């Protein structure tokens, strides 16, 4: 189980990313569309730089939805490899069977 503080910090980051997502998308579009030396581009870059670091979606860590384990995360299930295996063997994941040959 991950530390509760790390899980809480990650949830806080998710909220910050959601809050700034629309404005970040606008600024990135301005940067992409405007010329390489345009004043609008320079202003957009500065505003993007002033935003909090945690406003970037890459700062959010994928964690196991059950216990918060940060490593071995499987997106399809939202679980870590360890928890996914346990739940698959217990029959809690529909359509997932143990392979044998």
């Amino acid at each position: 189980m991950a530390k509760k503080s790390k899980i809480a910090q990650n949830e806080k980051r998710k909220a910050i990313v959601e809050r700034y997502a629309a404005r970040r998308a606008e600024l990135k579009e301005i940067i992409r569309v405007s010329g390489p030396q345009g004043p609008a581009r320079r202003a957009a870059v500065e505003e993007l730089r002033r935003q909090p670091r945690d406003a970037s979606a890459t700062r959010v860590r994928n964690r196991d939805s059950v216990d918060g384990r940060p490593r071995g995360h499987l997106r399809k299930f939202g679980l870590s490899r360890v928890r996914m295996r346990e739940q698959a063997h217990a029959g809690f994941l529909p359509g997932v069977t143990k392979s044998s040959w």
Side-chain angles (χ1 to χ4, degrees):
M1 173 108 185
K3 290 168 58 174
K4 291 187 188 307
S5 62
K6 290 290 185 183
I7 295 170
Q9 183 180 31
N10 202 47
E11 292 302 316
K12 183 179 172 185
R13 280 189 180 137
K14 285 180 185 177
I16 293 171
V17 165
E18 190 177 326
R19 189 178 332 138
Y20 284 91
R23 184 61 184 154
R24 283 183 70 85
E26 290 172 13
L27 293 171
K28 288 192 177 231
E29 184 64 21
I30 291 168
I31 292 168
R32 189 183 69 78
V33 170
S34 63
Q37 296 297 327
R41 182 180 197 276
R42 230 175 293 130
V45 168
E46 276 304 311
E47 186 178 339
L48 198 60
R49 199 175 285 150
R50 279 194 307 268
Q51 287 186 348
R53 278 186 166 187
D54 286 345
S56 174
T58 58
R59 304 269 295 188
V60 176
R61 179 81 178 181
N62 288 329
R63 290 184 172 270
D64 185 324
S65 59
V66 176
D67 67 357
R69 188 176 201 278
R71 305 280 179 110
H73 181 266
L74 302 172
R75 282 181 192 223
K76 185 173 183 179
F77 302 101
L79 302 170
S80 67
R81 60 183 176 78
V82 178
R83 189 78 48 221
M84 185 266 180
R85 188 168 186 266
E86 287 175 359
Q87 291 195 2
H89 285 309
F92 296 139
L93 302 176
V96 177
T97 57
K98 183 173 185 230
S99 174
S100 61
W101 60 92

